[in-house]
Amino acid sequence: MSRPLILVTNDDGFHAPGIQALTEVAKTFSDVIKIAPDKPQSGMGHAITINSTLRIQKMEESSEFKAYQCTGTPVDCVKIALDVILDKKPDLIISGINHGSNASINVIYSGTMSAALEGYIEGIPSIGFSLLDHGVDADFSSAKAYATKIISEALQHLDQNFCLNVNVP
């Protein structure tokens, strides 16, 4: 049986430590497509780009992993992955690990959660991960541990559509 395909994105940008941590976790379970904004896009909510040209740059490629950065928003990244890059829907979309909490009203403004919600709208199980730590040297190890457990469980329920918002701690 082939490995599942996980799409990884975020709103903190392609080089953010949170997406690096989440990508490491995803690679243990599946083939991975990573596409993220080329710069931080926090607070973009469900914005899409309509008056500018979107550019995609392939950053890395192997048989089990492809990585792209995009000049657009987190939702643009999901849309481009689904409509341009991939030839099939991913089994799961994961977004984050956001550098900061996405609780309460923050969920409305969150690019991290909007990317996950876009997957859900498209009928793809999706999870947004956030770490309640705004420090420059934030330690993502605890969030990685939770992401490992939650993704493992989520992969057992791909027959259902869901969108989870996971905040650590």
Side-chain angles (χ1 to χ4, degrees), residues 18 36 107 131:
V107 174
L131 175 66

Side-chain angles (χ1 to χ4, degrees), residues 3-169:
R3 287 168 37 108
L5 177 62
I6 296 179
L7 174 65
V8 181
T9 192
N10 74 350
D11 73 352
D12 290 329
F14 185 87
H15 298 288
I19 197 169
Q20 306 301 343
L22 194 55
T23 300
E24 288 174 25
V25 172
K27 284 180 174 180
T28 65
F29 294 105
S30 68
D31 293 343
V32 173
I33 299 291
K34 173 184 168 183
I35 181 167
D38 62 348
K39 60 187 171 293
Q41 295 281 327
S42 296
M44 292 301 288
H46 216 97
I48 57 172
T49 303
I50 57 173
N51 291 321
S52 310
T53 301
L54 290 171
R55 304 217 184 273
I56 309 164
Q57 181 179 6
K58 187 181 289 183
M59 303 297 285
E60 190 176 338
E61 181 174 12
S62 70
S63 61
E64 298 173 344
F65 179 67
K66 292 183 179 86
Y68 302 84
Q69 67 178 12
C70 172
T71 57
T73 68
V75 172
D76 288 334
C77 290
V78 172
K79 287 183 172 294
I80 285 171
L82 298 179
D83 296 337
V84 176
I85 295 172
L86 296 171
D87 54 6
K88 67 174 190 161
K89 280 188 174 183
D91 297 293
L92 181 66
I93 294 178
I94 54 178
S95 185
I97 300 168
N98 190 64
H99 200 155
S101 172
N102 275 316
S104 187
I105 194 103
N106 290 343
V107 174
I108 295 170
Y109 304 107
S110 169
T112 298
M113 283 311 301
S114 291
L117 283 167
E118 184 65 24
Y120 175 77
I121 290 166
E122 292 290 334
I124 303 164
S126 302
I127 309 170
F129 291 95
S130 300
L131 175 66
L132 179 54
D133 186 335
H134 294 280
V136 174
D137 297 339
D139 179 2
F140 287 88
S141 60
S142 62
K144 278 178 70 173
Y146 281 104
T148 299
K149 291 176 185 176
I150 292 166
I151 292 169
S152 175
E153 185 66 26
L155 289 172
Q156 306 305 311
H157 299 282
L158 295 177
D159 58 330
Q160 302 169 38
N161 194 16
F162 55 83
C163 184
L164 302 177
N165 177 17
V166 178
N167 285 278
V168 178

